[in-house]
């Protein structure tokens, strides 16, 4: 599985931004794509994941109601729409992937990170 993340940048508090993760894989069956993030001086944390086949989603409590993860099967791309951004959302965001359970948090496949900075 190969992942290519894009998007991010500098945004103001309250603004929106969208990240993209292009996923190339031999099979998308049972593939789950996730977004994780790591802020300076903090551990990496789970943000959201989506199941490719059925579209099921799971979110971290910290982003529920503000972030939406979705996939476009035709484009083999997963999106993270981020609304009402807060300074504490500032982090390097990574897309990652695994096969199998949507609830597991070990991801063997990783894309490069993309910086999101929320600041006035």
């Amino acid at each position: 599985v190969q992942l290519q993340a894009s998007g991010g940048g500098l945004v103001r508090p309250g603004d929106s931004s969208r990240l993209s993760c292009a996923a190339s894989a031999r099979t998308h069956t049972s593939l789950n794509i996730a977004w994780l993030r790591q802020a300076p001086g903090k551990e990496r944390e789970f943000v959201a994941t989506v199941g490719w086949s059925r579209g099921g989603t799971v979110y971290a409590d910290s982003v529920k109601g503000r972030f939406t993860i979705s996939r476009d099967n035709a484009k083999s791309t997963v999106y993270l729409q981020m609304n009402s951004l807060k300074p504490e959302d500032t982090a390097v965001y990574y897309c990652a992937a695994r096969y199998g359970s949507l609830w597991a948090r070990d991801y063997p496949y990783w894309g490069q990170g993309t910086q999101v900075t929320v600041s006035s």
Side-chain angles (χ1 to χ4, degrees), residues 28-33 49-53 97-109:
H28 288 80
T29 302
S30 298
L31 183 66
N32 305 314
I33 306 292
T49 187
V50 61
W52 200 275
S53 300
R98 74 181 315 279
Y99 286 98
S101 173
L102 191 63
W103 298 96
R105 294 291 172 259
D106 56 315
Y107 298 98
Y109 308 102

Side-chain angles (χ1 to χ4, degrees), residues 24-39:
S24 174
R26 283 192 172 186
T27 176
H28 288 80
T29 302
S30 298
L31 183 66
N32 305 314
I33 306 292
W35 287 97
L36 297 93
R37 66 186 182 185
Q38 187 165 21

Side-chain angles (χ1 to χ4, degrees), residues 1-39:
V1 179
Q2 293 184 322
L3 304 170
Q4 181 72 36
S6 61
L10 174 63
V11 296
R12 296 182 182 274
D15 281 356
S16 297
S17 185
R18 189 176 78 164
L19 304 180
S20 300
C21 178
S24 174
R26 283 192 172 186
T27 176
H28 288 80
T29 302
S30 298
L31 183 66
N32 305 314
I33 306 292
W35 287 97
L36 297 93
R37 66 186 182 185
Q38 187 165 21

